[in-house]
């Protein structure tokens, strides 16, 4: 009986997705602008760079590193000149993303440069506590890519290695799948991620599990439009994205666009928080609660299996 009920639930969920059913969750955010570090700006990268258990934030446009010294609890920030040496000289950063690309326990860096169709690898050859960066050259070249593309590291297909989700003018959000191993990455252009359309004019993305269901959702914005959100209504291994701005409930500023987005866990409570670089200041929202929302067609689907 339990097995039958489980099968009915799975079939019904698949029918909802196939029929374009409503996204499943509302995510509530609380403003915490008093805990926003000064001088945060575009080209944000985040991760536990010093291996002390909390996420730090790097802001490349003005060369600032913000160390989080407040966890557990509200974040406290200590700023200094950015500690990255060995970065490529490519006329300015377009996007930056931290991740343990070679599975050695420390964070490496992938960056995109102005007027270039390939992304650049910067390896951390130090330790998790004492980083040292070494430029590793171009990666993930796509002969069909536009210039000014941006890319972010994430394991979008939940196979244990880090892929690249990129946004290009046009706009298209595309995937460079890591077909190598967690220790030896090899990225291959895999086409457009359907359903995610962040808009043109400097589109920014941030990828993270906003609703705690084990798969990755996407937040996007441009220089001239409010934020949008796309919920993964598929599975961690087979994604399916649907626009669901209810996952940004409580996020009211900025109204006129974003120059940078980040999803660090600044208060060490296990879920991603949201940093937004606006036109004149940076905003911090804490991820506080998740409310499941039943789709309106659920009763109809249940009736089919009575």
């Amino acid at each position: 009986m339990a097995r039958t009920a489980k099968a009915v639930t799975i079939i019904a969920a698949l029918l909802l997705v196939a029929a374009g059913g409503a996204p499943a969750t509302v995510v509530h955010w609380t403003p915490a602008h008093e805990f926003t570090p000064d001088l945060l700006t575009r080209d944000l990268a985040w991760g536990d760079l010093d291996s002390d258990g909390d996420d730090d934030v790097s802001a490349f446009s003005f060369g600032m590193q913000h160390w989080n010294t407040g966890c557990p609890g509200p974040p406290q920030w200590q700023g200094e000149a950015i500690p990255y040496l060995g970065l490529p000289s490519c006329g300015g950063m377009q996007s930056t993303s931290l991740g343990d690309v070679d599975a050695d326990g420390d964070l490496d860096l992938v960056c995109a440069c102005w007027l270039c169709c390939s992304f650049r690898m910067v390896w951390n050859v130090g330790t998790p506590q004492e980083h040292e960066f070494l430029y590793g050259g171009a990666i993930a070249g796509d002969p069909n890519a536009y210039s000014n593309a941006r890319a972010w590291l994430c394991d979008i297909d939940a196979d244990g290695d880090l892929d690249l989700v990129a946004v290009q003018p046009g706009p298209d959000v595309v995937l460079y799948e890591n077909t190598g191993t967690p220790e030896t990455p090899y990225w291959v252009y895999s086409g457009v991620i359907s359903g995610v359309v962040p808009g043109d004019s400097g589109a920014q993305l941030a990828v993270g599990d906003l609703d705690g269901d084990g798969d990755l959702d996407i937040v996007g914005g441009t220089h001239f439009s409010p934020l949008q959100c796309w919920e993964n209504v598929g599975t961690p291994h087979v994604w399916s994205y649907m626009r669901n701005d209810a996952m940004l409930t409580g996020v009211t500023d900025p109204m006129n666009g974003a120059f940078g987005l980040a999803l660090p866990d600044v208060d060490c409570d296990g879920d991603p928080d949201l940093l937004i670089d606006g036109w004149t200041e940076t905003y911090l929202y804490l991820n506080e609660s998740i409310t499941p929302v039943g789709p309106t067609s659920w009763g109809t689907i249940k009736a089919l299996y009575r």
Side-chain angles (χ1 to χ4, degrees):
M1 186 70 172
R3 186 174 299 175
T4 301
K6 182 178 180 181
V8 169
T9 301
I10 293 172
I11 292 170
L14 291 173
L15 286 172
L16 277 175
V17 173
T25 51
V26 175
V27 182
H28 302 267
W29 304 83
T30 299
H33 306 329
E34 68 273 21
F35 299 125
T36 305
D38 295 332
L39 299 179
L40 266 175
T41 183
R42 58 212 69 172
D43 303 332
L44 303 180
W46 68 95
D48 188 4
L49 194 58
D50 52 5
S51 194
D52 65 348
D54 53 38
D55 281 346
D56 311 296
V57 179
S58 306
F60 282 86
S61 286
F62 283 85
M64 286 296 297
Q65 176 67 27
H66 300 275
W67 302 105
N68 188 351
T69 61
C71 282
Q76 302 291 327
W77 303 96
Q78 179 180 336
E80 67 174 12
I82 213 157
Y84 298 88
L85 299 176
L87 294 182
S89 176
C90 57
M93 296 294 181
Q94 181 79 334
S95 71
T96 52
S97 185
L98 287 166
D100 188 2
V101 173
D102 51 5
D104 65 349
D106 54 37
L107 296 181
D108 309 296
L109 180 73
V110 168
C111 58
C113 298
W114 287 98
L115 303 177
C116 180
C117 298
S118 62
F119 308 117
R120 310 299 176 95
M121 188 72 234
V122 184
W123 299 104
N124 189 343
V125 296
T127 69
Q129 292 77 30
E130 297 291 335
H131 44 269
E132 179 183 349
F133 291 97
L134 178 67
Y135 178 49
I139 60 170
D142 173 16
N144 299 313
Y146 294 93
S147 61
N148 294 336
R150 301 169 173 86
W152 295 270
L153 288 163
C154 63
D155 186 6
I156 194 170
D157 51 7
D159 65 349
D161 54 35
L162 291 177
D163 311 296
L164 284 167
V165 169
V167 62
Q168 301 171 159
D172 285 325
V173 176
V174 301
L175 171 65
Y176 293 87
E177 184 181 359
N178 189 344
T179 61
T181 69
E183 294 79 17
T184 306
Y186 185 79
W187 287 283
V188 174
Y189 178 73
S190 299
V192 174
I193 298 177
S194 61
V196 182
V197 185
D200 210 340
S201 186
Q204 298 284 334
L205 297 181
V207 185
D209 185 4
L210 301 187
D211 52 3
D213 64 351
D215 55 37
L216 296 180
D217 312 296
I218 298 176
V219 178
T222 75
H223 294 173
F224 303 103
S225 61
L227 296 189
Q228 305 172 60
C229 187
W230 294 268
E231 180 182 359
N232 186 350
V233 295
T235 70
H237 299 283
V238 182
W239 65 87
S240 176
Y241 284 99
M242 181 180 294
R243 174 82 176 268
N244 181 10
D245 291 345
M247 296 185 77
L248 295 173
T249 298
V251 178
T252 56
D253 292 305
M255 294 296 294
N256 56 354
F259 286 91
L261 296 171
L263 288 169
D265 181 8
V266 299
D267 52 3
C268 301
D269 64 351
D271 55 35
D273 305 301
L274 178 61
L275 275 168
I276 311 166
D277 175 38
W279 283 86
T280 58
E281 59 184 299
T282 303
Y283 305 88
L284 171 63
Y285 291 90
L286 302 181
N287 187 338
E288 297 289 29
S289 65
I290 299 164
T291 303
V293 176
T296 56
S297 54
W298 177 246
T300 303
I301 291 175
K302 283 198 299 182
L304 295 176
Y305 292 91
R306 284 180 180 172

